[in-house]
Amino acid sequence: MRNNIAKGGNSMEMKILYLPHELIIQILLRLPVKSLIRFKCICKSWFSLISDPRFAKTHFELTTAHTDRILFITSTPEIRSIDLEASLNDDSAFTSPNLNFLLPRSYSDLEIKGSCRGFIVLCCSSNIYLWNPSTGVHKQIPLPPFGSNLDANYFFGFGYDHSKDDYLVVSMCDDPNSATFLSHLEFFSLRANTWKEIECTTSTHFPYMNACDDPRVGCLFNGAIYWMAFRHDISRNVIVGFDLMERKLLDLQFPDDFDHEPTNCGLWVYGEFLSLWAIDYYENDTVEIWVMKEYKVNSSWAKTLVLSIDDIPTQYFSPLCSTKSGDIIETDGVTGLVKYNNKGQLLEHRSYCNNASISEVALYSESLLSLPDANEQA
Amino acid sequence: MASSSSNLISLKTSDGTVFKVERALAKTMKTVQAIIEEADANIYMIPIHNVFSHHMDMIIDYYKLSVAGKSKEFSVEKLDNDELKDFLLAVHYLNMEDLFEVLTQAVADRLEKKSVGYVRKYFGIENDFTPEEYAAIRKKNDWAFKGDDIEPEEDEEKQEE
C-alpha cells in the first residue's frame, strides 16, 4: 500500500492519507465483530483478511473483554441476539441472526447444549450442529455412539482445549442396551473428527448418575466442563468436571451446609467464579447464590446473595451471566430475561414471547473464529 | 550513551523545532532508543523524521498525563480524521507502544458504526467487487448492517428517497 504522508494543513488539495497495511490490521483488530463483518464488503483484500482464521484468532485473543451476547430463541421461531450491557427494554440493542441452514421448521425441539468461543451447540431432531451466530459458519457433527438419544443424555457439554487448539463435545451417559448404571464417557474432537471413548481406570465404569430430573447443559469454567451428579458408589451428590486438556474427570464437592436438591439448583459462572444457584420453594421463594471463592477448594464455598423471586411470574430463575457493572441477568425459564443488581434487587423484566413453550437461551461471545477443518458457510 | 546533559534528550522535528525531553519519555520511543544505543559517541541531537512539532506537543501531553496516572484523560477528539491518521503515522514511526494502542483504538472507535462507503473513503480504498459479488456478501451478512446506531449505506439512503 502507498505510504504518502500529507504535509501540513495549508494545502487546499484533498489528499488522501494512506495508511500502511500493517497499521490497517492493527485498527481492524480493535473493531468489534459486527463492524468487521460489515467491512468484509469494503474490498477483496479486506474480505480475505477478515475471513482469515489467523486474523480471527488474533482478534479473539486480543480482546480481553469479549463482547458477550445472549441468544434467545423462541419457538415462534424468533432468534434474537441481545446485548447484555444494554437495558433489556432497549430494542435497538438486539440483532437477528439467521438459522436458515436448519430446514424451515418450527423450532420446538431445538435445544442449545453448549457455548464456547462464539460457537453454540444446537441439537435439533437428533442432529448436533456447531454454529457461530456472528459469521453463520456451521458444522454438523455425528451423534455420540453411546449417547445417541440426546434427550436422555444428562451429561453433555462443549469446550475448548487450549493446548491443542481443539474443540470438544463431551457426553457421558448410560449404555442404552444395558439394564445397569454403566456410564460411558466419550468425547468428539473437531480435529480428530471422531468420537472416542475414555475408559474408567478406577473401576469398570464411571460411577456418575444424573442428579436432576432434567438434563442440564454443562457449565464451562476454567478449561473444564462441570455438571451436578450423583455418585452411586459413595451415595453422594458431587459436582463432576471434565478437564478438557487432561481429558479426565475430577470431582468438586457441594458446599457443606448446602441444603438443596440438585434439581432445584444449577451451575453457572458468576464473574470470575464458579457458582451455584438454588431455588428455595418451600420457604420464601428465594434464590441463593453460592460462589466458590477459591477454585477447586471445597471449603471456599460461600453464600453471597439471596434474591427474591416473588415478582417473577414464572417463579423460576436460572442465571446466565453478570454484566460489567455486576448486574445479574437470568432467564425466567419461559418468556424472557430478568435483571437484578448485585444487591439482589430486581431491576428489569422483559418478555420476548407470550406462548407457553419453553425458549432456548444461552450466553455466547461474538467471534469471527472458524472451526478446525470447518468449510461450510450458511 | 546519549548526551551528557543528565536527563534531557534533544529531539529535532521535521519542521526544525528542537524539543528537550526527559530521557524517560525518549525511552518510550523505541525508534529513538535504537538510535541512541547504536551511536558510538554521545549524540547531541536526534532528528525525528516524519514527526512535526504539533505531534510532539501531543506526545508530551500524553506523557505528562500518564506519569500522573491520568492517561485516560488524554483525548484526540479535537483532531479531525486526517489529523488523527497523521498523528498515528508519527507515533507508529517512533514506535511508541502505549500511545499507538490509544490511537489505533481511537481510529477504530471512530469507524465502528460507519458505513462501508465512509470507511472506503477514509482509507482511500476502491471497491473491487462486482455489483453481484457485493450484493451476495451483503445479503449473507445483512444483520451486521442493521441497527439504529449503524450509519446507513449511501445506496440505501438514495433508495428511500
Side-chain angles (χ1 to χ4, degrees), chain A residues 116-146:
Chain A
C116 176
R117 289 166 70 92
F119 292 99
I120 293 202
V121 182
L122 291 172
C123 294
C124 186
S125 15
S126 300
N127 292 317
I128 305 176
Y129 301 92
L130 298 183
W131 172 54
N132 181 332
S134 307
T135 60
V137 164
H138 63 278
K139 181 180 174 113
Q140 183 169 1
I141 67 166
L143 292 171
F146 287 106

Side-chain angles (χ1 to χ4, degrees), chain A residues 44-170:
Chain A
K44 290 183 179 171
S45 73
W46 279 44
F47 182 91
S48 297
L49 173 66
I50 295 169
S51 309
D52 187 328
R54 289 164 301 180
F55 176 82
K57 195 154 192 274
T58 310
H59 179 266
F60 189 78
E61 282 160 11
L62 185 69
T63 322
T64 45
H66 290 123
T67 327
D68 283 347
R69 299 182 72 89
I70 294 173
L71 191 72
F72 198 98
I73 303 180
T74 68
S75 52
T76 333
E78 200 184 38
I79 306 158
R80 281 170 186 248
S81 164
I82 299 156
D83 175 1
L84 54 94
E85 299 298 333
S87 156
L88 297 179
N89 294 310
D90 180 359
D91 270 346
S92 70
F94 81 88
T95 62
S96 309
N98 79 61
L99 265 179
N100 294 343
F101 69 90
L102 292 178
L103 299 169
R105 53 180 297 116
S106 142
Y107 295 135
S108 53
D109 66 342
L110 180 68
E111 285 186 310
I112 296 177
K113 284 196 177 275
S115 167
C116 176
R117 289 166 70 92
F119 292 99
I120 293 202
V121 182
L122 291 172
C123 294
C124 186
S125 15
S126 300
N127 292 317
I128 305 176
Y129 301 92
L130 298 183
W131 172 54
N132 181 332
S134 307
T135 60
V137 164
H138 63 278
K139 181 180 174 113
Q140 183 169 1
I141 67 166
L143 292 171
F146 287 106
S148 53
N149 179 2
L150 297 173
D151 290 334
N153 199 321
Y154 285 89
F155 302 103
F156 193 89
F158 177 57
Y160 178 71
D161 174 357
H162 266 282
S163 67
K164 299 186 174 68
D165 187 28
D166 194 7
Y167 294 84
L168 305 189
V169 180
V170 182

Side-chain angles (χ1 to χ4, degrees), chain A residues 5 17-18 20 22-23 27 30-32 34-35 37-44 46 92 134 377, chain B residues 82 85-86 92 100-101 104-105 108 111-112 114 119-120 124-125 128-129 140-141 143-146:
Chain A
I5 299 170
L17 196 56
Y18 292 103
E22 77 253 23
L23 265 193
I27 294 167
R30 287 162 175 86
L31 281 167
K34 184 175 179 181
S35 307
I37 300 268
R38 198 162 67 252
F39 298 161
K40 275 182 167 184
C41 288
I42 298 248
C43 66
K44 290 183 179 171
W46 279 44
S92 70
S134 307
Q377 308 236 313
Chain B
D82 278 342
K85 274 193 271 184
D86 193 45
H92 182 232
F100 180 76
E101 168 79 48
T104 43
Q105 187 65 61
L111 298 176
E112 185 184 326
K114 294 298 186 195
V119 176
R120 279 200 194 115
I125 295 176
D128 55 355
F129 285 119
K140 186 186 144 186
N141 298 303
W143 70 271
F145 288 81
K146 299 224 169 88

Side-chain angles (χ1 to χ4, degrees), chain A residues 275-309:
Chain A
S275 169
L276 271 167
W277 57 265
I279 303 185
D280 190 345
Y281 287 114
Y282 306 111
E283 294 284 322
N284 311 315
D285 284 342
T286 54
V287 173
E288 291 178 3
I289 307 272
W290 293 70
V291 145
M292 190 177 224
K293 294 202 160 248
E294 273 181 72
Y295 182 45
K296 292 188 178 169
V297 174
N298 291 314
S299 55
S300 72
W301 280 109
K303 181 168 24 172
T304 50
L305 205 51
V306 178
L307 309 164
S308 158
I309 50 173

Side-chain angles (χ1 to χ4, degrees), chain A residues 334-355:
Chain A
V334 180
T335 64
L337 296 177
V338 187
K339 198 187 268 200
Y340 283 83
N341 67 14
N342 57 10
K343 297 191 178 47
Q345 294 159 327
L346 178 63
L347 296 175
E348 293 181 309
H349 183 186
R350 173 72 196 274
S351 284
Y352 298 107
C353 59
N354 328 344
N355 58 30

